[in-house]
């Protein structure tokens, strides 16, 4: 998952730097303990490299911040002086320095928190159960899926929490016993497990309590211990049998990985797998609904949104998504109900305000739409789309100059959207600035020469400038691109009658416009054409 879930490739990068840092530290300590008088610089070069690489790991993903403690772990398990003993003096000084660094960091920045809807104690108690699940996944990687359904533990004095805590205490006790018996590698692997998960599975609440990709770095300790034990028990003096056994195990794991990866090949297989394994996970149903919406399967999308809401009536994303689906299918009133609920559940839900603004605009409630766009922008939505849509609402509300300002902002953020130029051009036309309007519409045409609306809009401004032949050319192009666009026939008829005094062809155009559903042509037919054009 750390590889296939693209954003979590940062876990892979952090793991790479983390392991590299530990290896550099071990090399530095070996060089320090066996110091070559001619190369006194070498240990310090390795130490510097270890901390620099560790910092790169932290910059890749914050959970790598524990790398100095990993150095202490390596010191305890694998570094021995010439008398084959732990260098207690060096360990004490180094551990003290790391502790001081941690204390200063906590005083200066405090204990971090990503998610404020779970208390630190609740998150910790939940992690007792999560860590048991992680142990199971290491030894038996079955029933894997993207989005686990894990309820938050409200206290410690519950059966699952107490059993999980007891299990961890036994595992740590086993690690201590193995250390005493000098089975350093399996003991190290256990402590490594808890160390590399300590940031994400402790008292720092994170929005998602469990994710498989968090095991990426943990797998190193597991693989290290498995390799050691296979060599130890099968044949420590002859590598052939252990290598064969480990190769077979690697093939099994590789096959399992490839098989699991098939689930990730498209959103449908991924989220279908997730809802099958966690049928109460509202977010999985939400993402499956999103896939169905994108696939234009409104029926199944609605079922999935409804299920998401049933699983968690307090999940605002499901209401927003369902509102979008209702809006797209013409149920604007139903969409408003869902948007209102989403905003009630999350008053800072930027996207819900934006989407409700679109719904208000579709209902011709322009003042309400503009207020929602304002709120979306105030909450941090700085996209080109929100300024573009607010500009449209203001233009329809006859706030022309303010609309121009919004189109300017939209274009500044995205210069490749022809609709921004086109609608700015229409606004300028409504302000009787037809020369500038045509310039904007020409830019839109250059960017998208297949849009019939652009030529129609340009033709209207041409009429206002008394450039009738050019206007007719623009309407010709609009009709060529969309022969069913009645308004272009109407406008061409108007240009022919007003500019060229060509009543016959004007009446033919108006008659076609009426036949195409543009009812505005009916008035001109009665005024100029009588029954001639109809025959």
């Amino acid at each position: 998952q750390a590889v296939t879930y693209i954003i979590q490739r940062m876990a892979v990068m952090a793991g790479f730097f983390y392991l590299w840092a530990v290896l550099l530290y071990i090399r530095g300590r070996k060089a320090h303990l066996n110091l070559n008088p001619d190369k006194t610089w070498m240990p310090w070069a390795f130490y510097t490299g270890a901390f620099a690489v560790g910092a790169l790991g932290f910059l890749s993903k914050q959970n790598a911040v524990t790398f100095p403690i990993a150095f202490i772990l390596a010191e305890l398990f694998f570094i021995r002086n010439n008398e084959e003993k732990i260098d207690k003096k060096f360990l004490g000084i180094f551990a003290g320095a790391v502790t001081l660094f941690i204390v200063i960091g906590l005083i200066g920045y405090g204990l971090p928190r990503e998610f404020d809807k779970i208390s630190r104690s609740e998150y910790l108690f939940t992690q007792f159960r999560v860590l048991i699940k992680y142990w199971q996944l290491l030894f038996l990687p079955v029933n894997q899926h993207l989005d686990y359904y894990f309820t938050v533990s409200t206290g410690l004095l519950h059966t699952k929490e107490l059993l999980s805590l007891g299990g961890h205490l036994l595992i740590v006790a086993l690690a201590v016993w193995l250390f005493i018996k000098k089975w350093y590698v399996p003991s190290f692997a256990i402590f490594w497990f808890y160390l590399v998960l300590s940031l994400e599975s402790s008292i720092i609440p994170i929005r998602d309590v469990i994710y498989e990709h968090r095991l990426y770095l943990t797998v190193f300790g597991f693989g290290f211990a498995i390799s050691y034990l296979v060599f130890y028990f099968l044949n420590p003096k002859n590598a052939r049998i252990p290598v064969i056994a480990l190769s077979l195990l690697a093939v099994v794991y590789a096959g399992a990985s490839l098989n699991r990866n098939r689930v990730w090949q498209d959103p449908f297989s991924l989220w279908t797998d997730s809802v099958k394994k966690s049928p109460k996970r509202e977010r999985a149903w939400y993402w499956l609904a999103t896939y169905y919406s994108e696939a234009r399967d409104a029926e199944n999308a609605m079922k999935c949104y409804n299920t998401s809401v049933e699983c968690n009536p307090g999940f605002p994303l499901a209401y927003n998504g369902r509102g979008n689906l209702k809006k797209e299918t013409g149920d604007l009133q139903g969409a408003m109900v869902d948007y209102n609920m989403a905003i009630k559940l999350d008053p800072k839900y930027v996207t819900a305000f934006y989407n409700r603004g679109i719904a208000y605009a579709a209902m011709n409630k322009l003042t309400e739409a503009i207020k929602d766009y304002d709120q979306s922008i105030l909450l941090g939505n700085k996209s080109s789309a929100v300024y573009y849509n607010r500009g449209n609402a203001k233009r329809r509300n006859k706030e022309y100059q303010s609309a121009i300002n919004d189109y300017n902002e939209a274009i500044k953020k995205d210069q490749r959207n022809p609709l921004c130029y086109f609608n700015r051009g229409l606004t300028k036309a409504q302000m009787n600035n037809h020369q500038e309007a045509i310039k904007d519409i020409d830019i839109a045409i250059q960017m998208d020469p297949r849009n019939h609306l652009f030529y129609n809009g340009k033709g209207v401004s041409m009429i206002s400038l008394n450039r009738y032949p050019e206007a007719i050319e623009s309407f010709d192009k609009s009709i060529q691109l969309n022969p069913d666009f009645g308004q272009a026939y109407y406008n061409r008829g108007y240009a022919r009658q007003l500019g060229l005094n060509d009543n016959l062809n004007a009446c033919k155009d108006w008659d076609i416009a009426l036949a195409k559903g543009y009812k505005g042509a009916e008035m001109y037919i009665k005024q100029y054409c009588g029954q001639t054009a109809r025959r």
Side-chain angles (χ1 to χ4, degrees), residues 199-254:
L199 200 70
E200 295 166 312
S201 294
S202 57
I203 57 172
I204 302 174
I206 302 174
R207 183 178 299 275
D208 298 293
V209 298
I210 180 173
Y211 257 133
E212 289 174 4
H213 58 254
R214 293 175 186 167
L215 281 172
Y216 180 77
L217 190 53
T218 307
V219 170
F220 164 74
F222 176 76
F224 190 15
I226 292 295
S227 300
Y228 171 82
L229 292 171
V230 168
F231 271 94
Y232 185 90
F233 285 108
L234 290 185
N235 196 335
K237 295 181 180 179
N238 185 347
R240 185 190 307 174
I241 296 175
V243 166
I244 292 173
L246 289 171
S247 298
L248 290 173
L249 183 60
V251 168
V252 170
Y253 278 140

Side-chain angles (χ1 to χ4, degrees), residues 448-522:
D448 182 8
R450 303 296 300 170
N451 193 317
H452 66 281
L453 294 174
F454 297 169
Y455 296 96
N456 182 68
K458 181 179 179 180
V460 171
S461 282
M462 290 289 188
I463 289 175
S464 297
L465 294 173
N466 299 324
R467 294 160 61 178
Y468 300 109
E470 294 170 88
I472 291 170
E473 287 179 11
S474 291
F475 297 132
D476 288 343
K477 186 65 176 176
S478 180
I479 291 166
Q480 179 186 342
L481 291 170
N482 185 357
D484 293 323
F485 185 44
Q487 190 179 39
Y489 292 99
Y490 166 80
N491 288 328
R492 188 172 68 178
Y494 183 81
R496 283 172 166 169
Q497 196 282 329
L498 181 67
L500 306 181
N501 200 27
D502 183 359
N503 274 22
L504 180 61
N505 285 314
C507 290
K508 288 179 179 178
D509 274 342
W510 290 329
D511 206 41
I512 296 172
L514 185 62
K516 299 289 185 183
Y518 194 80
K519 296 187 182 299
E522 191 170 7

Side-chain angles (χ1 to χ4, degrees), residues 55-68:
L56 292 175
F58 169 70
L59 293 174
S60 300
K61 193 174 183 182
Q62 289 91 332
N63 68 332
V65 74
T66 60
F67 72 89

Side-chain angles (χ1 to χ4, degrees), residues 117-118 121-130 147-155 158 160-161 164 207-210 278 280-282 311-312:
K117 293 185 179 180
I118 303 176
S121 59
E122 288 174 336
Y123 188 79
L124 177 63
F125 300 151
T126 305
Q127 289 306 307
F128 290 157
R129 294 158 44 221
V130 170
D147 206 9
Y148 286 86
Y149 178 69
F150 251 80
T151 56
V152 174
S153 299
T154 56
H158 301 287
K160 290 182 179 179
E161 284 73 15
S164 299
R207 183 178 299 275
D208 298 293
V209 298
I210 180 173
S278 286
K280 294 183 180 180
R281 188 59 163 132
E282 73 281 0
C311 290
N312 183 1

Side-chain angles (χ1 to χ4, degrees), residues 234-402:
L234 290 185
N235 196 335
K237 295 181 180 179
N238 185 347
R240 185 190 307 174
I241 296 175
V243 166
I244 292 173
L246 289 171
S247 298
L248 290 173
L249 183 60
V251 168
V252 170
Y253 278 140
S257 296
L258 290 170
N259 183 62
R260 172 66 186 154
N261 206 51
R262 290 191 185 126
V263 174
W264 287 75
Q265 65 185 350
D266 61 61
F268 177 74
S269 59
L270 179 63
W271 293 113
T272 300
D273 175 77
S274 192
V275 298
K276 180 181 178 181
K277 293 171 180 175
S278 286
K280 294 183 180 180
R281 188 59 163 132
E282 73 281 0
R283 191 168 59 183
W285 284 107
Y286 165 77
W287 285 113
L288 184 58
T290 301
Y291 164 79
Y292 278 126
S293 292
E294 292 174 353
R296 304 297 181 193
D297 187 345
E299 183 179 354
N300 279 314
M302 186 61 72
K303 288 179 181 177
C304 291
Y305 281 129
N306 290 340
T307 305
S308 180
V309 170
E310 289 168 9
C311 290
N312 183 1
F315 186 48
L317 270 69
Y319 291 102
N320 179 69
R322 191 170 68 178
N324 289 340
L325 183 60
K326 289 178 179 178
K327 173 166 61 68
E328 290 169 7
T329 55
D331 182 9
L332 292 174
Q333 292 295 340
M336 293 302 301
V337 172
D338 278 337
Y339 291 140
N340 291 339
M341 180 58 74
I343 291 168
K344 181 180 178 181
L345 292 169
D346 183 0
K348 295 183 179 180
Y349 195 173
V350 176
T351 308
F353 279 105
Y354 171 69
N355 288 329
R356 192 173 70 176
I358 294 174
Y360 272 132
M363 298 167 71
N364 208 34
K365 295 182 178 181
L366 301 176
T367 302
E368 290 87 343
I370 292 168
K371 287 180 181 178
D372 271 352
Y373 293 137
D374 290 343
Q375 187 64 19
S376 185
I377 292 169
L378 183 65
L379 290 171
N381 184 358
K382 305 300 182 183
S383 66
S384 174
V386 70
Y387 288 101
Y388 168 73
N389 280 292
R390 189 172 71 173
N392 288 343
K394 288 178 177 178
R395 177 172 65 84
R396 291 169 57 196
N397 210 35
K398 298 184 179 180
E399 301 173 33
Y400 298 131
Q401 188 54 56
S402 187

